[in-house]
Amino acid sequence: MSKKIKSNNSFQFLLIVFAGLLAILLIAVYFNKSSNNSYNQSQITNNSNGTKMYKSKTLKFTIDLPSKFQVEEKFTTVFMKNINGLISIERIGTNYTDLEGYLRDLESKNRILIANKEELKVNDLHGIRGTITHPISHNIDEKAYFIYVDKWMVFTISTSSPALFGDLDKIAQSFRYTPN
């Protein structure tokens, strides 16, 4: 009888281990599929002027992108990379009802300065262009566009690579918020 109980316990143990491994495998496949689906919600189409139109359905914007960039979208940020560096577009939630209040808070909390601020319109949206400096950490300065799309949301388009400043300007000026 003792052998039968041990044999039965071993079988139950193996069955539980197998079920656990199967569950882990199914979860991994599900999350891999869902992360690929969110990436596939973005679209890239070629324009006649040698640029690509990039549309993020997740972050709800479109831009004209020079064809030499590769795009990677993660959560609330889109990374555009080429051999000269990286440009990022980040969607940020805010409790501020204006861009100036948001930027004052950003400078205070992150211990940065935004120099050379220049107000502008980006496709009828209020924006500010400036240089982010890091007086405490001494990180590399960044050229950035801050675009206030509506209450509670700001987009930041930035790069720390001077070689990409021209591309950054073109991308930022082509930015369109597409909430619908």
Side-chain angles (χ1 to χ4, degrees):
M1 171 111 174
S2 173
K3 274 189 168 180
K4 189 175 183 182
I5 291 174
K6 282 185 182 178
S7 171
N8 210 9
N9 285 343
S10 296
F11 178 74
Q12 288 176 342
F13 176 75
L14 287 175
L15 189 60
I16 290 171
V17 168
F18 177 74
L21 290 173
L22 183 62
I24 290 170
L25 178 66
L26 290 173
I27 289 170
V29 167
Y30 172 77
F31 280 110
N32 188 28
K33 209 177 231 186
S34 67
S35 70
N36 285 341
N37 285 342
S38 68
Y39 177 77
N40 290 336
Q41 289 183 6
S42 300
Q43 298 174 335
I44 298 177
T45 55
N46 291 321
N47 293 334
S48 60
N49 63 359
T51 64
K52 303 181 275 191
M53 185 183 79
Y54 178 80
K55 180 175 185 169
S56 171
K57 290 183 181 177
T58 305
L59 299 179
K60 302 181 189 305
F61 72 83
T62 62
I63 55 168
D64 292 332
L65 185 65
S67 58
K68 59 190 172 192
F69 283 91
Q70 298 296 319
V71 180
E72 182 180 359
E73 186 167 330
K74 291 188 175 184
F75 305 110
T76 61
T77 306
V78 172
F79 300 100
M80 295 154 288
K81 303 173 189 175
N82 74 11
I83 59 170
N84 294 319
L86 172 86
I87 295 174
S88 64
I89 300 178
E90 185 175 11
R91 184 180 69 188
I92 304 161
T94 180
N95 290 329
Y96 289 91
T97 57
D98 61 54
L99 188 54
E100 291 75 11
Y102 166 78
L103 292 177
R104 278 191 302 277
D105 184 61
L106 181 70
E107 288 177 310
S108 171
K109 286 185 177 169
N110 291 344
R111 298 182 178 163
I112 61 171
L113 295 174
I114 302 171
N116 307 318
K117 291 180 190 173
E118 182 181 338
E119 290 197 33
L120 50 98
K121 287 282 187 188
V122 177
N123 290 310
D124 293 326
L125 297 170
H126 179 58
I128 292 179
R129 176 178 46 214
T131 303
I132 301 172
T133 62
H134 305 268
I136 295 173
S137 69
H138 303 292
N139 288 345
I140 298 171
D141 291 352
E142 299 171 61
K143 183 173 183 181
Y145 286 78
F146 301 92
I147 303 169
Y148 191 82
V149 296
D150 63 17
K151 285 186 181 178
W152 326 123
M153 197 176 321
V154 173
F155 280 86
T156 302
I157 308 172
S158 65
T159 185
S160 60
S161 174
L164 295 178
F165 286 177
D167 290 325
L168 174 71
D169 293 336
K170 291 174 189 170
I171 291 168
Q173 289 301 320
S174 74
F175 179 89
R176 292 173 298 284
Y177 181 55
T178 54
N180 299 324

